Amino acid sequence: MGTETVRAQVTDEVTERRREQRGWYFYDWACSVYSTSVLTVFLGPYLTSVAKHAADADGFVHPLGIPVRAGSFFAYAVSASVIVSIFVMPMAGAAADRTGRKKPLLALCAYLGAAATTGMFFLDGDRYLLGGLLLIVANASVAVSMVLYNSYLPQIAPPEERDAVSSRGWAFGYAAGSLMLVVNLVLYSAHDSFGVSESTAVRICLASAGIWWGAFTLVPLKRLRDRPTASAGQAPGHGWRQLAATVRDMRGKPLTLAFLFAYLVYNDGIQTVISQASVYGSEELGLSQSTLIVAVLLVQVLAVGGALGMGRLARTYGAKRTILGSLVAWTVTLGAGYFLPAGAPVWFFVLAAGIGLVLGGSQALSRSLFSHLVPSGKEAEYFSAYEMSDRGMSWLGPLLFGLTYQLTGSYRDAIISLVAFFVIGFVLLARVPVRQAVHDAGNPVPDRI
């Protein structure tokens, strides 16, 4: 084979890889609008108001006959979605690895979640149970779809490109969230001019996220390609049994398991802040919905630069050190959030800016770092365990947040309780020798990690 032929093949491979990477970015563009507009901005305060409308004289609703303070219902629904995800994610991850057919599963999860999100248009009156059900379906769907999406990363990017590719994916997601939030802000702020009520405007914003999710999912479905895996032909287990099998396999790679445990702890805190910040702003600080939208928009805009900037820092200091620095910043930010004065939007914006600068980078670098610790052929299976604490799917953080509020009646106490996740996560991550972990997973060790 001549030199020119080899060069042409290498060029074709690089061109195809870049094309696939660009398609991969677009799933972040598609589904991040759900995480931003629905989970972070609108659904928490709106579902809480619907639950309060349905509450009894003591402020409690009674799903399945269980007394729940209306202000805690949203947090409990987020936790319930993880219980559903725990049963589904390991099965989906193992099925993807053993069949090599990720795209059909990705399409199924994406469009089920998009349909549930679009259905939130019908959430009005006292239909808090409908809201909880749709939230659980949408959250479980995005969780499973992200297992499949993330598992493509080791296949479409060589080790030296993963930090940058992962960071660009997050940046795409935050850019999409920013764009849709601008549209949401215009509609919500000027709803009278459009001839719709405030409630209807919120429901349109919720439904539009589902339509966006479904429409842009077509891009990755066209560009990503399925690959045969070494696990092909084996039958996956079911639910807890499959999760147990994955964990047993990880026990043979204790350093991978140690990193995953550290990630599950600190990311539980990150995802709880994302999902509960709007409730804290509206209920404890008395801020308007418009103020919350602007604050989240600020987070999204700064998160684009933060994700890319922390990606560059990782080239100099390594992903592990950069993540550890971000956990210190998260701890300081939450401590400051506890002392925010009520009715003071400017200070809430300062807090939002601090969150935005570290949010995207801490998540993107965690994803790329974990991809180095996954054995070849088991990407989706391992990422199913990883995903259990990602994208607002954490269960312990929302549960602690909801219980703290239920017991104290204070959202300030609830928000400060989350500091424990960042402190413990920092200690656990600092103890993981990541270079040895990459080697033990059978992967090449990057020069800097």
Side-chain angles (χ1 to χ4, degrees):
M1 185 179 294
T3 303
E4 292 302 322
T5 302
V6 173
R7 288 177 178 173
Q9 287 182 344
V10 171
T11 300
D12 289 344
E13 289 175 2
V14 171
T15 300
E16 176 60 26
R17 187 169 74 240
R18 294 285 187 266
R19 182 178 184 277
E20 199 168 4
Q21 288 172 359
R22 287 191 291 270
W24 185 80
Y25 299 149
F26 264 92
Y27 191 68
D28 246 322
W29 176 275
C31 72
S32 291
V33 168
Y34 164 80
S35 299
T36 302
S37 291
V38 177
L39 195 63
T40 305
V41 177
F42 287 107
L43 189 58
Y46 186 71
L47 184 55
T48 299
S49 69
V50 172
K52 287 184 174 181
H53 187 264
D56 59 23
D58 296 321
F60 285 81
V61 290
H62 300 269
L64 303 178
I66 302 171
V68 172
R69 190 186 291 269
S72 296
F73 179 75
F74 174 70
Y76 289 154
V78 173
S79 292
S81 72
V82 145
I83 297 174
V84 175
S85 302
I86 286 173
F87 282 93
V88 182
M89 284 193 291
M91 283 192 297
D97 285 335
R98 288 170 169 83
T99 64
R101 293 178 57 78
K102 297 177 184 178
K103 281 208 297 185
L105 291 171
L106 178 62
L108 174 63
C109 296
Y111 286 107
L112 180 61
T117 305
T118 304
M120 291 178 185
F121 178 79
F122 302 101
L123 176 59
D124 60 358
D126 58 0
R127 297 178 180 174
Y128 76 97
L129 285 176
L130 173 63
L133 176 62
L134 293 175
L135 169 60
I136 290 170
V137 172
N139 266 357
S141 296
V142 78
V144 178
S145 73
M146 290 302 295
V147 168
L148 304 167
Y149 168 71
N150 286 336
S151 69
Y152 274 103
L153 180 58
Q155 297 177 339
I156 66 172
E160 66 274 9
E161 291 183 4
R162 287 184 200 165
D163 286 346
V165 170
S166 183
S167 296
R168 289 190 198 109
W170 282 106
F172 261 63
Y174 287 120
S178 300
L179 179 61
M180 183 57 81
L181 273 183
V182 171
V183 176
N184 292 160
L185 180 60
V186 171
L187 174 61
Y188 180 82
S189 301
H191 60 84
D192 288 335
S193 301
F194 291 100
V196 298
S197 66
E198 180 178 328
S199 173
T200 301
V202 170
R203 291 187 289 116
I204 291 173
C205 291
L206 294 172
S208 65
I211 296 171
W212 177 287
W213 185 358
F216 284 105
T217 294
L218 293 172
V219 179
L221 291 180
K222 182 177 180 180
R223 292 197 173 188
L224 292 173
R225 59 187 177 89
D226 287 328
R227 296 165 171 82
T229 68
S231 303
Q234 302 177 26
H238 299 280
W240 289 98
R241 187 172 63 190
Q242 180 59 54
L243 176 61
T246 302
V247 173
R248 281 197 301 271
D249 188 75
M250 283 185 174
R251 289 175 64 183
K253 299 168 182 62
L255 297 182
T256 296
L257 194 59
F259 171 82
L260 180 63
F261 185 59
Y263 172 77
L264 294 180
V265 172
Y266 70 74
N267 195 57
D268 214 342
I270 293 174
Q271 297 304 327
T272 307
V273 172
I274 292 172
S275 66
Q276 304 302 322
S278 59
V279 176
Y280 179 69
S282 62
E283 298 295 321
E284 182 68 35
L285 303 182
L287 302 176
S288 68
Q289 186 73 67
S290 295
T291 298
L292 296 176
I293 295 173
V294 173
V296 175
L297 178 58
L298 179 61
V299 169
Q300 298 297 302
V301 171
L302 291 178
V304 174
L308 298 175
M310 287 183 65
R312 293 190 181 95
L313 285 175
R315 297 176 193 171
T316 303
Y317 301 104
K320 178 183 173 181
R321 289 183 179 179
T322 307
I323 295 169
L324 288 172
S326 75
L327 297 183
V328 173
W330 274 107
T331 302
V332 172
T333 301
L334 274 187
Y338 178 83
F339 296 102
L340 286 185
V346 172
W347 288 110
F348 193 71
F349 293 151
V350 172
L351 183 72
I355 291 174
L357 289 173
V358 296
L359 175 60
S362 55
Q363 293 175 313
L365 294 178
S366 296
R367 177 170 65 185
S368 62
L369 181 54
F370 184 71
S371 73
H372 292 284
L373 312 182
V374 177
S376 177
K378 295 188 176 182
E379 292 87 0
E381 187 176 341
Y382 271 55
F383 267 109
S384 69
Y386 174 91
E387 187 61 27
M388 286 182 186
S389 192
D390 205 0
R391 294 273 179 161
M393 301 301 111
S394 308
W395 63 272
L396 184 57
L399 181 61
L400 176 62
F401 187 93
L403 283 175
T404 303
Y405 175 74
Q406 179 144 340
L407 294 174
T408 68
S410 169
Y411 282 108
R412 292 185 187 273
D413 292 338
I415 203 74
I416 200 64
S417 69
L418 302 179
V419 166
F421 290 97
F422 298 102
V423 174
I424 296 172
F426 180 97
V427 173
L428 293 174
L429 178 59
R431 294 167 58 89
V432 179
V434 292
R435 298 185 69 84
Q436 185 63 45
V438 176
H439 180 270
D440 290 352
N443 295 321
V445 182
D447 293 335
R448 190 174 299 278
I449 192 170

